[in-house]
Amino acid sequence: MPEFIPYGRQSVTEDDILTVVEALKSDWLTQGPIIEQFEKAVAEYCDAKYAVAVNSGTSALHIACLAADFGHGDILWTSPNTFVASSNCGLYCGGKVDFVDIDADTYNISVNALEMKLESAHKVNKLPKIVIPVHFAGQSCQMDKISELAKHYDFTVIEDASHAFGGRYRGIKIGKCIFSEMTVFSFHPVKIFTTGEGGMVLTNKKEYYEKLIRLRSHGITRNPELMEGKSHGPWYYQQIELGFNYRMTDFQAALGTSQIKRVDDFVKKRHLLANRYNSLLKTLPLVLPWQDPEVVSAYHLYVVKLKLNKIKKTYLQVFEELRAKGIGVNLHYIPVHTQPYYKKLGFSLGDFKEAERYYQEAMSLPIYPGLNERQQDLVINALSNSLFS
């Protein structure tokens, strides 16, 4: 069997392991003091005021919507080129979901399409309450323009930055929430750094922070100022709203506190790999990823598009040939509106043509900090051989 090279994987060191073991030997396994340490480390890295750790990026999206008072009958817009969680979070809240087509160069939500759709929605009084721009592959959306539209049309912006920890937009760290009310991160193993499973919501608004803290833990408070009547004593708590058990464990947070120390190194290595791909793939019948000069991508993904009119094979043939050679290419993403569940909601093929066109051609190549040049050469050679054979 050939060596298998995945499209992404975690990088765990002995220091990471020792940090987790130390947490496992402590008095806390579920939600203890390391959670706050981790939240503080992430907030400080991103220059944000508040951070709330949860058990997944999906949970983070869900409670971010709830913190923004999104509910039954409200409308959420996001990109169709994303994982289903970016839109599912609106459905969890009882709201309605719609999409905005993507930009042909960045594969992020198209600002021009967003503006046009907002103008049309305004005329029929169906504006979104929340817009979730997704920083696909680690490259930020055009957040200044989205922020201007948010002020004009009065919607809340929640950044889905699951791919983008360590990236920057116009020199500003993603997560600082300059152009949004909240930013969501994912710490899944293939992301920039990991807690195993995990996620986080960042914000600069205290009222959001306090609500997020309650929502991740059953809607419970121990703050006497928020209670009905007087506290019965030190043991007392009240459930004041419907929340969830979305808590992160202390040993997951311990892994995060160790991993975040290497984020800049992780991103630097991803850039080195991306630059090397750019240099060695430029003669192949591919569209290489375009980078906005105002953005420093975290390069969670390295996505090429096959120029199918220049090769003699189908997309499926190339994909299967690479997989057979141990190259773990993948496809990010199947347009959400084409999923059977979303078709039942009224969406259909042809609704978002740029996202659908992208899906026919896009392929994610392996990129992660532990990928070495020998392995990258195997990827490049296998891809070249498949395209030209």
Side-chain angles (χ1 to χ4, degrees), residues 163-174:
H163 293 186
F165 198 97
R168 293 173 181 260
Y169 176 69
R170 291 191 164 186
I172 299 167
K173 287 184 178 178
I174 295 172

Side-chain angles (χ1 to χ4, degrees), residues 48-292:
K49 288 185 179 179
Y50 306 106
V52 178
V54 290
N55 59 1
S56 72
T58 302
S59 300
L61 284 164
H62 185 193
I63 63 172
C65 289
L66 291 172
D69 292 323
F70 185 85
H72 183 75
D74 292 330
I75 301 170
L76 180 151
W77 291 359
T78 189
S79 168
N81 184 35
T82 185
F83 187 59
V84 293
S86 304
S87 53
N88 284 352
C89 59
L91 302 180
Y92 297 157
C93 302
K96 299 177 182 179
V97 169
D98 202 352
F99 302 94
V100 180
D101 212 350
I102 63 171
D103 178 81
D105 294 323
T106 65
Y107 318 138
N108 281 330
I109 196 168
S110 166
V111 171
N112 290 336
L114 175 61
E115 186 169 15
M116 291 174 61
K117 189 158 185 160
L118 286 166
E119 289 174 1
S120 298
H122 179 65
K123 292 175 183 177
V124 294
N125 197 29
K126 289 188 176 180
L127 284 167
K129 185 168 185 176
I130 289 177
V131 171
I132 299 182
V134 179
H135 301 327
F136 178 75
Q139 178 167 214
S140 175
C141 298
Q142 291 178 283
M143 291 308 302
D144 58 332
K145 295 180 181 178
I146 293 173
S147 178
E148 289 173 6
L149 290 170
K151 292 171 185 174
H152 184 74
Y153 288 102
D154 192 27
F155 59 81
T156 297
V157 179
I158 299 172
E159 297 176 68
D160 184 344
S162 297
H163 293 186
F165 198 97
R168 293 173 181 260
Y169 176 69
R170 291 191 164 186
I172 299 167
K173 287 184 178 178
I174 295 172
K176 192 172 182 178
C177 301
I178 296 297
F179 303 104
S180 64
E181 301 299 311
M182 288 171 273
T183 300
V184 167
F185 290 118
S186 168
F187 305 129
H188 183 275
V190 297
K191 298 303 195 302
I192 304 304
F193 77 97
T194 189
T195 59
E197 282 282 4
M200 193 169 285
V201 188
L202 274 65
T203 185
N204 294 321
K205 293 194 174 182
K206 188 177 181 181
E207 60 269 30
Y208 285 148
Y209 169 70
E210 291 176 344
K211 190 168 185 179
L212 290 163
I213 289 289
R214 295 195 301 271
L215 287 169
R216 77 170 172 194
S217 190
H218 303 284
I220 284 173
T221 185
R222 294 181 182 273
N223 183 353
E225 295 180 3
L226 299 177
M227 293 180 181
E228 292 184 2
K230 293 183 178 180
S231 173
H232 297 181
W235 67 88
Y236 194 62
Y237 61 84
Q238 288 185 356
Q239 182 189 340
I240 61 173
E241 57 197 314
L242 184 63
F244 308 87
N245 183 357
Y246 284 171
R247 295 174 300 222
M248 179 182 281
T249 66
D250 242 35
F251 57 88
Q252 287 174 300
L255 178 58
T257 58
S258 181
Q259 289 250 314
I260 196 173
K261 297 173 185 176
R262 306 201 305 283
V263 163
D264 290 341
D265 290 336
F266 288 158
V267 173
K268 182 179 180 181
K269 180 62 186 295
R270 288 175 179 274
H271 274 260
L272 290 172
L273 290 166
N275 290 338
R276 193 164 185 268
Y277 271 137
N278 289 341
S279 175
L280 298 176
L281 295 176
K282 61 186 178 181
T283 60
L284 300 187
L286 301 169
V287 177
L288 302 184
W290 181 82
Q291 294 298 295
D292 186 330

